[in-house]
Amino acid sequence: MSNKMWGGRFASGPGAIMEEINVSIDFDKALYRQDIAASKAHADMLAKQGIITADDAKKIAHGLDTILSEITGGKFTFKRALEDIHMNVEGRLSELIGEPSGRLHTARSRNDQVATDFRLWMRDTIDTLDLALAAFQKTLATKALEHAGTVMPGMTHLQTAQPVTFGHHMLAYVEMAARDRGRFADARKRLNESPLGSGALAGTSFDLDRDMTAKALGFDRPGANSLDGVSDRDFALETLAAASIASVHLSRLAEEIVIWTSPLTALVRLSDKFTTGSSIMPQKRNPDAAELVRAKTGRIIGSLSALLIVMKGLPLAYAKDMQEDKEGAMDALSALSLSIAAMDGMIADLEPDAARMKKAAGEGYATATDLADWLVRTLNIPFREAHHITGQIVGKASAGNVALHRLPLADMQAVEPRITDAVFDVLSVDRSVKSRTSYGGTAPKNVKAQAKKWLKKLEKEKA
């Protein structure tokens, strides 16, 4: 028995293995809202152009609304024999309204249908991710304002470098999330062209109003080239690239949480909501949520790599290889959404140990740069010479196993006689962070101003 989809060309249906490798309904059923919306817009346009009757269009719209209600109500049976979301919807529509359902597919192909659905789904997902990232920014900025003056060690090479504030550290991720949102916004703008009406690859001989369907579906315009409309997936690649970068940012913060919560540093504490225990070691508190965020980054980046590899050798126009575009992308963006939510929760939940942070900030002679700057500023010594002098003084402090601000003045003067006791004004970690008043610096007043600015901006976006 031939498959109704193929018409009379085939005498029998596909073999079992062919059916299994060909089926996509298990994952593309996620496109049901977009598929139904695009079909309704297409039917309205066909009626307006006189290609189908207004009565048929009305029956089609009513049937599609019924199908939407069935799916959202959990009463719809998805059939693997019908392969994909398009044929499942069309098959049910035929059961509901009969002959008029066959007119819906006039002047379109599954090629432009799936390209339209996937763009609509990607656009909706980007909008959801943007809201999640904005909420994450607010959580970070709120924590930054709360800890604008909480001193912590700033690191380079994972070694103590200079004192910063915990609020300043949080604001760094606010900035990263802002760029992530910008990348998603750019991807959304470029994907917002409608492929509907491109047909299989060459357009159609029917007198379509593609501007009408584009407007009905919220696209900026119809795509200008039918080959491009059905065969390119750069909109998915670009979105996955933005997702990969965003996930890397989350992963870096997750790694820091893993380090900060270790008893070896004990800089922050997570509550039971975001930690787990051990099946054998009763004392353990594992930062599993952070570790899983870190791990999911691999899945997200892997999905980008997989789709790049799928697309890199395909000639125009559509090829069935492109059925592999959705499952990985859907998984990746779902993983990113969950990762943002988990990281948002952890940042809201974690509590810095201010005393431990301050102590750690002073270890490793973190104010050495402040000493060098003082030599330049006060004694008019060239920075390279000041750097050398400071290195000798740090060597003395290290040999005596004392903090830099505890080193006797006489020991400093043995290296540079012109040093006075005024140098101690810059050697504490509190004074160090307060002195970093340059734009973008870690001074608490800077952090407060930036945190308030971000919170105001984010609140304005919601209005």
Side-chain angles (χ1 to χ4, degrees), residues 38-249:
S39 290
K40 289 178 71 175
H42 185 65
D44 286 345
M45 182 274 297
L46 292 177
K48 182 248 182 186
Q49 295 297 99
I51 298 170
I52 66 174
T53 68
D55 184 59
D56 281 347
K58 184 177 180 180
K59 290 176 181 176
I60 289 169
H62 179 71
L64 291 171
D65 285 338
T66 300
I67 293 169
L68 179 61
S69 178
E70 289 177 347
I71 295 175
T72 57
K75 299 177 181 178
F76 187 92
T77 301
F78 291 101
K79 298 175 182 178
R80 299 185 93 241
L82 293 178
E83 293 187 12
D84 57 32
I85 186 61
H86 322 300
M87 297 313 299
N88 268 266
V89 170
E90 188 173 321
R92 178 58 177 151
L93 187 63
S94 178
E95 293 174 354
L96 290 170
I97 68 171
E99 188 266 346
S101 68
R103 302 187 184 280
L104 174 59
H105 208 56
T106 306
R108 75 174 183 183
S109 162
R110 282 196 300 171
N111 293 359
D112 63 342
Q113 190 176 356
V114 69
T116 302
D117 292 356
F118 197 23
R119 281 178 186 256
L120 289 171
W121 184 90
M122 197 68 76
R123 191 180 70 189
D124 291 343
T125 301
I126 287 173
D127 291 344
T128 300
L129 289 170
D130 183 69
L131 290 173
L133 285 168
F136 179 46
Q137 285 182 294
K138 183 178 179 180
T139 301
L140 288 164
T142 300
K143 190 68 73 170
L145 186 60
E146 181 183 352
H147 292 283
T150 302
V151 179
M152 71 174 291
M155 304 282 191
T156 62
H157 308 278
L158 206 57
Q159 306 295 314
T160 303
Q162 291 179 290
V164 296
T165 69
F166 188 67
H168 192 58
H169 203 105
M170 293 294 97
L171 286 178
Y173 286 99
V174 175
E175 297 290 337
M176 293 180 214
R179 294 193 295 275
D180 292 329
R181 293 179 66 193
R183 276 181 282 270
F184 279 120
D186 287 345
R188 189 192 194 283
K189 183 177 181 180
R190 273 183 284 277
L191 73 76
N192 208 33
E193 293 186 353
S194 174
L196 196 57
S198 297
L201 73 162
T204 176
S205 60
F206 288 95
D207 181 23
L208 304 184
D209 186 345
R210 294 190 63 209
D211 288 299
M212 178 182 172
T213 50
K215 183 178 179 181
L217 294 170
F219 288 113
D220 292 332
R221 63 191 70 83
N225 185 283
S226 59
L227 284 168
D228 177 55
V230 299
S231 68
D232 203 75
R233 292 296 184 268
D234 60 358
F235 66 91
L237 291 168
E238 187 172 7
T239 302
L240 285 172
S244 296
I245 295 170
S247 70
V248 166
H249 288 153

Side-chain angles (χ1 to χ4, degrees), residues 36 43 52 78 84 94 97 111 116 231 297 312 324 351 358 374 400 402 426 461:
I36 290 171
I52 66 174
F78 291 101
D84 57 32
S94 178
I97 68 171
N111 293 359
T116 302
S231 68
T297 300
K312 61 94 182 171
E324 292 293 316
E351 287 297 330
K358 187 172 182 179
W374 185 89
V402 296
V426 302
E461 284 181 7

Side-chain angles (χ1 to χ4, degrees), residues 197-459:
S198 297
L201 73 162
T204 176
S205 60
F206 288 95
D207 181 23
L208 304 184
D209 186 345
R210 294 190 63 209
D211 288 299
M212 178 182 172
T213 50
K215 183 178 179 181
L217 294 170
F219 288 113
D220 292 332
R221 63 191 70 83
N225 185 283
S226 59
L227 284 168
D228 177 55
V230 299
S231 68
D232 203 75
R233 292 296 184 268
D234 60 358
F235 66 91
L237 291 168
E238 187 172 7
T239 302
L240 285 172
S244 296
I245 295 170
S247 70
V248 166
H249 288 153
L250 295 177
S251 184
R252 296 183 73 182
L253 181 52
E255 170 68 5
E256 291 184 319
I257 290 174
V258 171
I259 293 169
W260 293 341
T261 55
S262 168
L264 296 174
T265 60
L267 298 182
V268 306
R269 181 179 176 84
L270 283 170
S271 77
D272 294 348
K273 290 191 296 183
F274 292 97
T275 55
T276 64
S278 164
S279 64
I280 189 172
M281 296 169 285
Q283 84 281 8
K284 292 294 294 296
R285 287 175 56 85
N286 300 322
D288 282 7
E291 291 171 0
L292 288 166
V293 168
R294 188 175 59 185
K296 287 184 185 298
T297 300
R299 293 173 66 176
I300 296 166
I301 295 171
S303 295
L304 170 62
S305 298
L307 186 53
L308 283 167
I309 294 167
V310 167
M311 296 301 299
K312 61 94 182 171
L314 297 185
L316 299 183
Y318 183 84
K320 198 65 178 226
D321 310 51
M322 291 162 67
Q323 185 166 289
E324 292 293 316
D325 60 355
K326 289 174 285 298
E327 189 172 12
M330 289 173 173
D331 178 76
L333 297 179
S334 176
L336 178 60
S337 179
L338 181 57
S339 295
I340 296 169
M343 191 58 70
D344 191 356
M346 279 186 282
I347 293 301
D349 181 75
L350 65 79
E351 287 297 330
D353 185 331
R356 178 69 189 106
M357 277 188 168
K358 187 172 182 179
K359 183 176 183 297
E363 294 172 353
Y365 306 102
T367 58
T369 304
D370 297 274
L371 172 56
D373 289 346
W374 185 89
L375 293 171
V376 172
R377 191 166 49 247
T378 306
L379 303 182
N380 198 29
I381 295 174
F383 182 80
R384 282 297 166 207
E385 183 181 344
H387 186 284
H388 182 72
I389 292 169
T390 300
Q392 290 181 294
I393 293 173
V394 168
K396 282 182 172 290
S398 179
N401 196 28
V402 296
L404 198 55
H405 68 286
R406 301 293 186 191
L407 187 68
L409 178 61
D411 287 355
M412 296 188 194
Q413 290 175 331
V415 178
E416 172 47 67
R418 291 176 292 171
I419 295 177
T420 69
D421 60 3
V423 74
F424 292 103
D425 290 341
V426 302
L427 295 184
S428 73
V429 292
D430 286 321
R431 290 183 180 272
S432 175
V433 296
K434 286 179 182 177
S435 72
R436 305 294 170 179
T437 56
S438 60
Y439 181 74
T442 191
K445 69 175 186 179
N446 285 16
V447 174
K448 286 180 182 178
Q450 283 294 322
K452 289 178 180 178
K453 180 180 176 181
W454 269 113
L455 289 169
K456 183 178 180 180
K457 182 177 187 295
L458 291 165
E459 195 60 37

